[in-house]
Amino acid sequence: MLRPPISKLPRKPLRWRQIRQIQSSATRLAEAYDPVTIERAEDEVDVCIVGGGPAGLSAAIRLKQLEREKGKEIRVVVLEKGSEIGSHIVSGAVIEPRALNELLPKWQSMEDHPLTRPATSSHMRFLTQKLCLPFPHPPQMNNDGNYILSLSQFTRWLGNIAENEYGVEIYPGFAGSQLLLSPTPDAHDPWGNKVRSVQGVITNEVGLARNFTLKSSFEPGMAFRAKVTLLGEGAHGSLSKQAISMYQLRKEAQPQTYGIGLKEVWRVDPEHYEPGKVNHFLGWPLPYDVYGGGWEYHMDEGLVSIGLVIGLDYKNPYLSPYREFQRLKHHPYFRKLLSGKSERLSYAARVLNEGGLQSVPRLHFPGGALIGCSAGFVNLAKIKGTHNAMKTGMLAAESAFAAIHPSDTASSELSTADLSSYETAFKNSWVYEDLHEVRNMRPSFNTKLGLWGGIAYSGIDSLFLGGQTPWTFRHTPAGVKEKNQDSTSSLDASHTEPASWHQPIDYPPFQPPLSTDLMTSVSLTGTNHAEDQPVHLRVVKTRKYVQELDRARAGDENANLALGAGSSAVETCAKGEAASGEVEEEKKVRSEHVRVNDGMYAGLLGRACPAGVYEYVEQEGKEAESGEGWQGKKLVINSQNCIHCKLCDVKVPTQDITWTVPEGGGGPKYTNT
């Protein structure tokens, strides 16, 4: 899909310690990418925050507030992979302003704030194929004092405050691709093991061709050296995955579980617009053994947000989250809501954390910490996480400031920032209480009773027990957890059953403009990626990819960072006697992926991906001899369509899709999601 180039916000000049001038030449164009010999521009900062979402921006603002309060300077940089702040942000959203009230007590008097539509009602509905029935909802779902808004717009407003009122340096279009580590072990992880500390972030290279040769526009990624690195990438962030694995941060936690949220924003007929109205839906079109539900939020200016969340632990590989969402709109209730002079304005999708308190990992690591949805603070009973994301960003900021400007001499002599105080602050905060109260609700749906068992337990727990029980449910038996010890494999993927155990789902035809084909919806996202760049959706297990990153960091000249990007890319970067073996292994991995995912799971990703990125198609001509397919089928990755939802990384049964960042500025350009 070709899109116009996405313009980038103006950036402040960076204070480089080392600048390398890139010269274009025919010889340069013939070069293969070599991560070991590359020279990078470097910048030194106090705190580097990866991700310009609510958590990252709240952390940045709180750090600069402390600078004013304490009179001690601190340089804060926020790196955002989207083309501008807010362009990759998706949520319902009804926001609880508790954290905002603490961060910016006078926000209501601030110009152009987006919290202009208070929620006026809150109801739960149960859908059958034809009926919409009232249904009791837990007290946590009350929305008194909450606001309906576009989280993308809210984040953009928060970014303007951070940059213009507090002096935070925000760099959109900078995608963090690697953790910058100390040369040798210089710290201890939370378990006492001697490890290399995080000393910042390296951004993605720009100007690499699809086969990993250097284009005339090539620019090496930049190294942001930081005393503290905060990872606020959102659910299932790529750097967060690396940190969780490297430092065993999930050692004492349950595996994280996820849902996929699909959303549309409509401008509805004035007759159907009820400002402030909030509805949540259970039941149809999802089967009883699939966790999920829908929403309807009447925003400001005649806009209505509708959507569907589906737990990614669903079993049937024939299920299509996108088709389920489109089918939801065929219900008489939604058909009426979206009838008349109604117009669809936008479409979006993103995975969200569902694990709750028992899936929150250890939050700190040597030199940094996880904040917001990178750790997973969504309160699923409330169907809200922004307030918790913002508060954890603020708590981490206070810990980071204390580490950089310690009050005692002993702490000032430490070479690596220790943010363990953030962990303590979290456990003493209202965020912990918020999650503890509802910790058993999501896993209560994981019984043979399915939907009805979960509803029964959640009703009793929320209405009578208030979460004050001596037990905490697990998401999985202990034996299953053993599969997730490296923290890179997904629990949700392990729930997927072979296609032979299920029947294909007969979805109704689309009924434009009420429901449309997938590509029509994707066109509303404004998604754009440069076509001739490496495929950022790698067919390689994350653990293997991280090991290759470690080899490159260690200066191993045979490290091949093209793994998973296709045989031609691997061949470009392969060196020495192992070159032919690496290419053959790449083909073998791709072939095995097709064999299992198409042969056993009927090409699950072709239906599960909400942007049409993956296809399992017939090989043509000599392709069958390439060794990359299976029984005449091959995998096609349309990475230019990717809307950065991360579903593939979570749900693929073989757990061999590793989501890495594309060139900064690529991806969707959301404005009102």
Side-chain angles (χ1 to χ4, degrees):
M1 292 174 60
L2 296 175
R3 302 281 174 222
I6 299 178
S7 61
K8 298 179 179 178
L9 293 178
R11 301 172 185 147
K12 302 179 183 67
L14 301 180
R15 303 196 289 252
W16 303 123
R17 193 175 70 184
Q18 172 188 1
I19 300 291
R20 182 191 183 197
Q21 299 296 326
I22 304 300
Q23 302 294 330
S24 300
S25 67
T27 302
R28 181 79 181 179
L29 292 176
E31 282 189 51
Y33 172 63
D34 186 346
V36 175
T37 61
I38 201 168
E39 299 175 25
R40 302 185 185 279
E42 292 190 358
D43 195 16
E44 292 188 353
V45 304
D46 290 315
V47 180
C48 180
I49 301 172
V50 182
L57 293 172
S58 297
I61 291 172
R62 184 64 189 131
L63 283 163
K64 300 301 277 187
Q65 288 175 339
L66 289 167
E67 177 185 64
R68 295 179 182 180
E69 294 170 12
K70 306 295 184 180
K72 297 181 178 179
E73 184 178 358
I74 190 163
R75 186 178 178 210
V76 182
V77 164
V78 175
L79 305 180
E80 166 55 41
K81 66 182 173 66
S83 61
E84 59 184 56
I85 292 293
S87 63
H88 287 181
I89 298 294
V90 183
S91 184
V94 179
I95 185 173
E96 181 179 313
R98 186 174 184 178
L100 181 62
N101 293 338
E102 294 182 11
L103 181 66
L104 301 170
K106 298 181 180 179
W107 65 265
Q108 290 177 312
S109 62
M110 293 181 175
E111 186 177 357
D112 297 328
H113 75 76
L115 288 81
T116 55
R117 177 53 59 197
T120 58
S121 66
S122 187
H123 299 285
M124 178 75 81
R125 310 287 182 184
F126 188 88
L127 299 181
T128 67
Q129 190 166 358
K130 298 294 183 182
L131 301 178
C132 178
L133 307 172
F135 198 82
H137 66 71
Q140 291 85 0
M141 294 184 72
N142 289 329
N143 282 299
D144 292 343
N146 296 337
Y147 294 84
I148 306 172
L149 47 65
S150 157
L151 195 62
S152 173
Q153 293 176 357
F154 173 79
T155 304
R156 199 151 36 245
W157 170 75
L158 204 61
N160 286 332
I161 292 173
E163 187 171 35
N164 299 325
E165 298 189 22
Y166 286 96
V168 175
E169 298 176 48
I170 300 178
Y171 299 112
F174 280 65
S177 65
Q178 299 180 45
L179 295 173
L180 187 61
L181 302 181
S182 60
T184 58
D186 63 343
H188 292 86
D189 67 15
W191 321 109
N193 303 306
K194 192 79 172 179
V195 293
R196 298 159 71 188
S197 63
V198 172
Q199 296 187 340
V201 170
I202 299 174
T203 64
N204 207 9
E205 328 290 9
V206 175
L208 281 178
R210 191 178 182 90
N211 67 350
F212 273 75
T213 55
L214 310 186
K215 297 190 291 188
S216 61
S217 58
F218 178 75
E219 291 280 356
M222 304 173 188
F224 286 85
R225 292 194 174 272
K227 298 174 183 176
V228 171
T229 302
L230 300 180
L231 302 180
E233 304 170 285
H236 214 62
S238 52
L239 293 184
S240 302
K241 280 184 66 179
Q242 293 179 30
I244 289 171
S245 177
M246 288 167 50
Y247 301 113
Q248 303 179 68
L249 301 183
R250 206 172 289 286
K251 183 177 180 179
E252 294 181 347
Q254 282 279 287
Q256 186 58 263
T257 65
Y258 299 90
I260 180 68
L262 302 98
K263 172 181 180 175
E264 292 177 356
V265 176
W266 288 67
R267 188 180 303 281
V268 299
D269 191 302
E271 291 187 2
H272 304 143
Y273 176 57
E274 301 178 49
K277 180 179 180 180
V278 173
N279 270 331
H280 292 105
F281 302 89
L282 288 174
W284 192 89
L286 300 179
Y288 83 96
D289 61 346
V290 174
Y291 182 84
W295 77 78
E296 170 200 3
Y297 303 152
H298 288 242
M299 306 162 66
D300 221 351
E301 299 180 350
L303 302 183
V304 175
S305 165
I306 63 171
L308 181 67
V309 173
I310 297 176
L312 287 178
D313 57 352
Y314 67 82
K315 300 175 182 179
N316 186 353
Y318 288 112
L319 187 146
S320 163
Y322 179 79
R323 296 301 298 268
E324 295 291 347
F325 180 34
Q326 297 305 301
R327 179 160 64 171
L328 174 66
K329 293 185 293 181
H330 292 184
H331 190 279
Y333 180 89
F334 284 96
R335 188 182 295 274
K336 179 180 179 181
L337 172 67
L338 305 176
S339 64
K341 299 178 181 179
S342 296
E343 176 188 10
R344 185 174 62 157
L345 303 180
S346 60
Y347 164 77
R350 184 70 166 89
V351 300
L352 62 148
N353 302 298
E354 292 189 345
L357 184 63
Q358 48 270 67
S359 294
V360 174
R362 190 61 64 95
L363 299 177
H364 70 284
F365 50 83
L370 305 172
I371 60 176
C373 288
S374 281
F377 298 112
V378 172
N379 182 318
L380 209 59
K382 289 183 176 179
I383 319 182
K384 295 174 183 62
T386 303
H387 61 302
N388 289 338
M390 293 177 66
K391 180 62 175 178
T392 56
M394 295 156 62
L395 294 174
E398 292 166 358
S399 180
F401 191 91
I404 294 170
H405 294 297
S407 57
D408 60 277
T409 305
S411 297
S412 64
E413 294 175 353
L414 294 175
S415 59
T416 301
D418 177 11
L419 268 65
S420 58
S421 61
Y422 164 46
E423 192 96 31
T424 302
F426 160 69
K427 291 180 179 178
N428 293 328
S429 72
W430 53 256
V431 179
Y432 186 91
E433 296 175 357
D434 193 61
L435 297 177
H436 184 270
E437 180 184 7
V438 301
R439 69 193 183 283
N440 286 327
M441 291 192 185
R442 174 62 177 96
S444 71
F445 285 80
N446 293 340
T447 69
K448 293 181 179 179
L449 297 177
L451 173 67
W452 299 112
I455 289 175
Y457 179 86
S458 297
I460 294 171
D461 195 6
S462 62
L463 293 173
F464 303 108
L465 303 178
Q468 302 303 311
T469 58
W471 58 79
T472 296
F473 293 158
R474 302 170 63 92
H475 293 297
T476 176
V480 177
K481 185 175 184 289
E482 296 303 317
K483 299 179 181 179
N484 298 70
Q485 284 302 301
D486 68 354
S487 303
T488 63
S489 56
S490 166
L491 173 64
D492 293 319
S494 68
H495 285 281
T496 313
E497 296 176 345
S500 60
W501 297 12
H502 298 270
Q503 293 295 321
I505 299 174
D506 184 20
Y507 288 107
F510 299 113
Q511 300 177 19
L514 179 65
S515 58
T516 65
D517 66 89
L518 181 55
M519 287 299 101
T520 298
S521 293
V522 174
S523 69
L524 298 174
T525 66
T527 296
N528 175 68
H529 294 91
E531 297 231 7
D532 188 20
Q533 66 171 297
V535 175
H536 66 278
L537 304 159
R538 306 292 189 88
V539 186
V540 60
K541 290 186 181 294
T542 299
R543 194 172 192 178
K544 174 66 175 174
Y545 180 73
V546 171
Q547 289 171 348
E548 210 64 22
L549 282 176
D550 285 341
R551 290 179 63 193
R553 292 188 187 108
D556 186 342
E557 63 180 15
N558 292 319
N560 193 329
L561 295 190
L563 286 184
S567 58
S568 63
V570 169
E571 185 175 17
T572 297
C573 297
K575 299 176 183 176
E577 297 179 358
S580 60
E582 289 181 4
V583 173
E584 290 306 309
E585 179 64 20
E586 179 78 3
K587 293 179 178 180
K588 180 180 177 182
V589 169
R590 188 71 61 113
S591 176
E592 179 66 7
H593 172 95
V594 178
R595 184 189 72 81
V596 177
N597 287 281
D598 188 63
M600 292 181 61
Y601 296 99
L604 176 147
L605 287 181
R607 286 177 297 277
C609 174
V613 170
Y614 298 91
E615 297 179 273
Y616 297 91
V617 301
E618 299 292 336
Q619 292 179 307
E620 299 178 357
K622 294 185 178 181
E623 286 182 336
E625 303 173 10
S626 68
E628 296 191 51
W630 175 77
Q631 291 192 357
K633 287 287 191 73
K634 67 175 181 178
L635 170 66
V636 174
I637 301 177
N638 303 305
S639 56
Q640 68 273 16
N641 289 359
C642 179
I643 57 176
H644 299 203
C645 77
K646 313 291 180 67
L647 177 145
C648 55
D649 198 321
V650 173
K651 189 58 179 173
V652 63
T654 44
Q655 283 298 277
D656 58 358
I657 297 291
T658 295
W659 198 99
T660 65
V661 290
E663 287 187 4
K669 192 171 184 179
Y670 298 135
T671 57
N672 60 1
T673 56

